[in-house]
């Protein structure tokens, strides 16, 4: 059973982890798709800029100037570095007008967010027949920003990549020889946009989905936790019931066996002939039937809840109450090696309690100190007044109770599972009843204990 529950818990946790991984993957995918859809939306919104005639003519102007520079390069009038310087300065001279144009177009779109734009020339390669001559093949650090702002690429989106091939005829002057030559040109340009607040806008669009999936996920975790906790509780109840049946069977067996021997011996002549033996046997029968009765009463009455306990409260001096209690207890524990030390609050206090029920409740605690004691039993009863409560502390030097068991000892039928449960008699009802009696009085019982050192029960009863 325990193994099955462990397997169930491990399997459920594993399934939950797998489910959360899938869910995270799906949510991230949705986020990416929504982001791409948003970028497409922005791209088509600002596409008017690319098709605006003025920007095209600015591009044409720049490319014509580039062609002239490349012709000068072919004619060895300038070198490659100078071509680059001229290409950049030509772009610099066109950018202010393009930026103004772009800003007025974007403003007229009223998008509700800011979009920055740039067109980069990423490579220019010249071909002379089969020979390629790279003018620019730029890395990110050394590129030519033709139009727009030079924002970093990290958060930007590439919305276009254009490759432009052209053949250019020019007049070549080498020494005295003038001829018409041509070169082929390949220009690659990229367009990028940077949407400020892109991530928060996309997040806003997937927020509902994200929230719903988090809520559902938490709900599933809660449900699983609740089911497993219920399962463990059911299992514990089943164990407690089995223990109780084992205990009661064991408890009933001894007096029944003694009764059967005693009644059989009553038929035997030596007992019939001896009045003393006869009365002794009758006394045994009486004691054993009394014990049986006590056991049945314990099961029937002691399992009552606090609400079912009818109290008959009366004022009584604590000195009187404890002296009677200790006297009765000493009598019942006389066959054991027990020392009891009583330290009562002075001056005496008048308690309003149900004498009968509280005696039974405290008796259970005192009897346990003897039952679960090792060697010489030392009990200390100490009383005091704290925060308007009459506090009784009953300490022993017995086997002690582990931290885990301390949480359960006041539950119905609970007995510590240690070795043979039958070595110490009991039904696991004593402390439950004590707890219920105190609850009926408006008080409470708690425990402080360390294994092999001893146990202290702290009982609080409201005064007044
Ligand atoms: P019972 O004594 O019939 O077993 P109780 O309800 O009185 O039932 O006690 C529940 C369990 O708490 C006991 O079985 C025992 O394991 C543990 N216990 C109670 N009192 C003590 C004590 N003084 N020292 C050690 N263990 C104790």
């Amino acid at each position: 059973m325990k193994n099955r529950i462990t397997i169930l818990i491990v399997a459920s946790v594993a399934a939950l982890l797998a489910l959360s991984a899938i869910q995270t993957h799906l949510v991230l995918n949705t986020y990416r798709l929504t982001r791409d859809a948003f970028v497409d939306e922005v791209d088509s919104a600002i596409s008017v800029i690319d098709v605006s005639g003025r920007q095209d003519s600015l591009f044409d102007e720049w490319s014509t100037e580039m062609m002239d520079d490349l012709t000068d390069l072919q004619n060895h009038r300038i070198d490659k570095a100078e071509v680059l310087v001229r290409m950049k300065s030509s772009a610099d001279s066109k950018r202010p007008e393009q930026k103004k144009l772009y800003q007025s177009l974007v403003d007229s779109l009223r998008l509700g967010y800011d979009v920055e734009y740039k067109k980069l020339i990423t490579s220019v390669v010249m071909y002379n027949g089969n020979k390629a001559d790279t003018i620019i093949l730029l890395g990110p650090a050394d590129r030519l920003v033709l139009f727009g702002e030079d924002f970093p690429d990290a958060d930007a989106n590439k919305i276009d990549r254009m490759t432009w091939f052209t053949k250019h005829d020019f007049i070549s002057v080498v020494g005295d020889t003038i001829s018409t030559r041509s070169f082929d040109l390949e220009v690659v340009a990229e367009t990028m946009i940077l949407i400020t607040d892109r991530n928060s806008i996309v997040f806003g669009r997937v927020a509902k989905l994200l929230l719903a999936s988090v809520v559902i996920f938490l709900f599933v975790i809660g449900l699983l936790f609740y089911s497993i906790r219920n399962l463990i509780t059911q299992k514990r109840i089943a164990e407690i019931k089995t223990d109780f049946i084992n205990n009661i069977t064991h408890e009933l067996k001894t007096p029944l066996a003694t009764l059967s021997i005693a009644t059989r011996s009553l038929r035997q002549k030596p007992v019939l002939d001896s009045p003393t033996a006869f009365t002794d046997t009758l006394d045994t029968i009486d004691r054993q039937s009394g014990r049986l009765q006590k056991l049945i009463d314990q099961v029937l009455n002691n399992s009552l809840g606090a609400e079912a306990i009818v109290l008959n409260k009366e004022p009584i001096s604590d000195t009187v109450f404890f002296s009677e209690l200790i006297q009765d207890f000493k009598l019942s524990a006389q066959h054991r090696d027990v020392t009891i030390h009583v330290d009562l609050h002075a001056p005496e206090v008048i308690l309003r309690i149900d004498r009968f029920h509280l005696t039974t409740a405290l008796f259970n605690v005192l009897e346990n100190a003897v039952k679960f004691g090792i060697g010489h039993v030392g009990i200390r009863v100490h009383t005091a007044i704290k925060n308007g409560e009459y506090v009784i502390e009953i300490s022993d030097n017995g086997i002690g109770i582990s931290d885990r068991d301390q949480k359960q000892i006041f539950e119905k039928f609970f007995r510590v599972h240690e070795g043979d449960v039958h070595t110490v008699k009991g039904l696991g009802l004593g402390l439950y009843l004590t707890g219920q009696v105190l609850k009926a009085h408006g008080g409470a019982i708690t425990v402080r204990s360390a294994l092999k050192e001893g146990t202290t029960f702290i009982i609080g009863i409201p005064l007044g």
Side-chain angles (χ1 to χ4, degrees):
M1 180 80 171
K2 198 172 175 191
N3 263 352
R4 266 189 12 225
I5 290 188
T6 316
I7 292 171
L8 195 81
I9 293 174
V10 171
S12 315
V13 170
L16 205 70
L17 287 178
L19 199 74
S20 63
I22 293 170
Q23 185 118 346
T24 312
H25 173 76
L26 290 177
V27 168
L28 282 179
N29 248 2
T30 311
Y31 180 83
R32 275 188 217 115
L33 288 174
T34 313
R35 188 190 57 198
D36 293 349
F38 177 57
V39 172
D40 282 350
E41 189 185 307
V42 178
D43 179 18
S44 62
I46 62 163
S47 58
V48 284
I49 296 154
D50 261 346
V51 295
S52 89
R54 182 60 194 139
Q55 180 155 315
D56 266 1
S57 59
L58 282 173
F59 185 78
D60 287 346
E61 280 170 29
W62 176 81
S63 53
T64 311
E65 283 169 32
M66 178 181 65
M67 289 302 185
D68 293 344
D69 297 337
L70 292 175
T71 305
D72 284 350
L73 177 71
Q74 287 286 339
N75 282 328
H76 306 291
R77 282 191 211 112
I78 53 172
D79 60 4
K80 225 187 264 182
E82 181 59 21
V83 175
L84 270 175
V85 171
R86 289 187 186 181
M87 275 162 75
K88 281 188 182 167
S89 83
S90 161
D92 289 347
S93 69
K94 316 261 172 313
R95 259 204 316 275
E97 190 189 338
Q98 184 277 336
K99 275 193 204 171
K100 231 163 101 188
L101 174 76
Y102 169 81
Q103 204 50 56
S104 68
L105 279 166
V106 164
D107 289 349
S108 68
L109 290 173
R110 290 181 207 284
L111 294 170
Y113 43 80
D114 248 1
V115 189
E116 288 186 31
Y117 168 97
K118 70 175 170 187
K119 194 183 261 305
L120 298 169
I121 301 298
T122 53
S123 95
V124 177
V125 182
M126 229 175 17
Y127 296 92
N128 274 318
N130 284 337
K131 201 173 136 248
D133 190 0
T134 305
I135 309 301
I136 38 174
L137 190 62
L138 297 166
D142 191 26
R143 59 208 168 175
L144 199 155
V145 181
L146 181 56
F147 294 142
E149 301 290 340
D150 189 13
F151 47 78
D153 292 353
D155 284 328
N157 294 93
K158 194 188 285 180
I159 55 166
D160 188 37
R161 188 171 195 274
M162 176 198 87
T163 308
W164 168 52
F165 290 100
T166 185
K167 185 180 164 78
H168 185 66
D169 297 321
F170 68 99
I171 311 244
S172 158
V173 185
V174 182
D176 293 337
T177 324
I178 299 175
S179 58
T180 309
R181 281 171 51 204
S182 66
F183 60 84
D184 293 317
L185 195 68
E186 184 200 81
V187 180
V188 180
E190 282 178 2
T191 309
M192 296 186 100
I193 52 170
L194 179 76
I195 311 160
T196 32
D197 298 338
R198 181 196 65 187
N199 292 350
S200 55
I201 292 170
V202 176
F203 186 78
R205 292 187 180 185
V206 292
K208 272 190 198 149
L209 175 90
L210 198 73
L211 195 77
S213 68
V214 167
V215 168
I216 293 173
F217 193 65
L218 289 180
F219 182 69
V220 170
I221 291 182
L223 217 62
L224 190 76
F225 177 74
Y226 177 76
S227 314
I228 290 174
R229 215 186 53 181
N230 251 4
L231 202 74
I232 292 172
T233 313
Q234 292 301 329
K235 183 185 148 256
R236 229 190 51 222
I237 291 173
E239 276 172 6
I240 286 173
K241 276 188 182 158
T242 317
D243 278 359
F244 172 69
I245 291 167
N246 290 344
N247 290 332
I248 191 106
T249 315
H250 183 81
E251 293 290 295
L252 291 174
K253 253 189 203 162
T254 327
L256 274 175
T258 323
L259 271 176
S260 114
I261 295 167
T263 45
R264 247 182 286 138
S265 65
L266 277 183
R267 294 180 204 280
Q268 285 162 7
K269 202 161 180 323
V271 178
L272 281 172
D273 288 349
S274 155
T276 334
F278 192 79
T279 7
D280 281 353
T281 315
L282 279 183
D283 284 348
T284 307
I285 293 174
D286 204 31
R287 267 200 311 277
Q288 294 309 322
S289 62
R291 197 168 149 198
L292 276 177
Q293 186 61 48
K294 210 173 137 197
L295 274 171
I296 290 162
D297 284 351
Q298 234 188 344
V299 178
L300 290 179
N301 305 325
N302 289 12
S303 53
L304 290 181
E307 321 69 46
I309 297 174
V310 183
L311 294 183
N312 181 17
K313 284 191 192 174
E314 53 181 322
I316 179 169
S317 136
D318 63 339
T319 323
V320 175
F321 175 74
F322 277 100
S323 73
E324 282 177 13
L325 176 82
I326 303 300
Q327 205 179 344
D328 288 356
F329 173 67
K330 277 183 178 160
L331 212 66
S332 74
Q334 56 185 317
H335 55 287
R336 285 286 304 259
D337 183 13
V338 179
T339 314
I340 181 156
H341 175 80
V342 185
D343 171 21
L344 294 186
H345 175 267
E348 71 170 2
V349 181
I350 301 298
L351 303 169
R352 267 194 61 81
I353 50 169
D354 182 311
R355 207 163 159 173
F356 168 76
H357 277 113
L358 200 68
T359 304
T360 317
L362 297 188
F363 231 88
N364 286 339
V365 178
L366 291 170
E367 275 180 339
N368 279 350
V370 178
K371 270 170 34 179
F372 303 103
I374 6 172
H376 173 80
V377 177
I379 304 175
R380 184 170 170 269
V381 178
H382 171 84
T383 69
I385 293 177
K386 273 183 211 157
N387 307 325
E389 275 200 329
Y390 190 78
V391 179
I392 309 160
E393 287 192 5
I394 303 178
S395 316
D396 65 47
N397 57 348
I399 58 171
I401 308 166
S402 72
D403 286 350
R404 207 191 69 196
D405 291 331
Q406 284 175 33
K407 295 190 187 95
Q408 300 183 66
I409 52 170
F410 300 105
E411 286 173 18
K412 212 187 255 187
F413 304 131
F414 179 82
R415 304 199 76 213
V416 173
H417 264 261
E418 206 83 345
D420 182 3
V421 278
H422 301 312
T423 46
V424 179
K425 288 183 173 144
L427 297 175
L429 282 169
L431 286 182
Y432 169 74
L433 173 80
T434 304
Q436 298 306 306
V437 168
L438 286 160
K439 203 169 155 198
H441 276 86
I445 177 167
T446 52
V447 67
R448 201 171 54 218
S449 183
L451 277 176
K452 292 189 185 140
E453 280 176 27
T455 307
T456 300
F457 286 95
I458 304 118
I459 293 158
I461 305 166
L463 283 170

